[in-house]
Amino acid sequence: YKAMIPAKVRQNWIVPASATEGMSCEIQVRLIPSGDVIQVQLTRTSGDAAFDRSVENAVHKASPLPVPPAESGLFDVFRDLKFPFTLEKKS
């Protein structure tokens, strides 16, 4: 699930024209057991407001995110996630 979540966000990401290869920001995402996003917070900026906003928008668009079933007892690990988001190669 830890790899599936950023992958789903990336699928919903519209890279802004101002973005350059290697740009990175870090976001914190709060989820409920259904995988729905209830909060997205930027914890480290890329220095480009359009880039940061595009990542936040992609997280909201990707909701609900893939999380383990509530009955597995693993959801608490995914309630609050923090991960970096980097533009590897502009497509």
Side-chain angles (χ1 to χ4, degrees):
Y1 293 95
K2 288 190 178 200
M4 291 168 48
I5 291 172
K8 186 168 182 195
V9 172
R10 196 167 291 282
Q11 289 171 354
N12 287 276
W13 188 28
I14 299 170
V15 181
S18 61
T20 57
E21 195 173 313
M23 271 187 150
S24 178
C25 67
E26 186 175 80
I27 55 172
Q28 182 166 344
V29 180
R30 176 163 281 189
L31 305 173
I32 57 175
S34 63
D36 288 302
V37 173
I38 57 170
Q39 183 181 24
V40 179
Q41 184 176 7
L42 193 66
T43 57
R44 184 178 43 81
T45 182
S46 67
D48 181 300
F51 180 91
D52 296 345
R53 197 168 38 255
S54 73
V55 172
E56 291 174 333
N57 290 340
V59 173
H60 286 291
K61 236 168 108 177
S63 182
L65 295 172
V67 293
E71 61 273 3
S72 71
L74 297 174
F75 174 73
D76 282 342
V77 174
F78 295 88
R79 186 177 305 278
D80 284 299
L81 296 175
K82 188 185 280 191
F83 57 93
F85 212 83
T86 304
L87 179 59
E88 304 295 339
K89 187 166 74 171
K90 196 167 180 181
S91 46

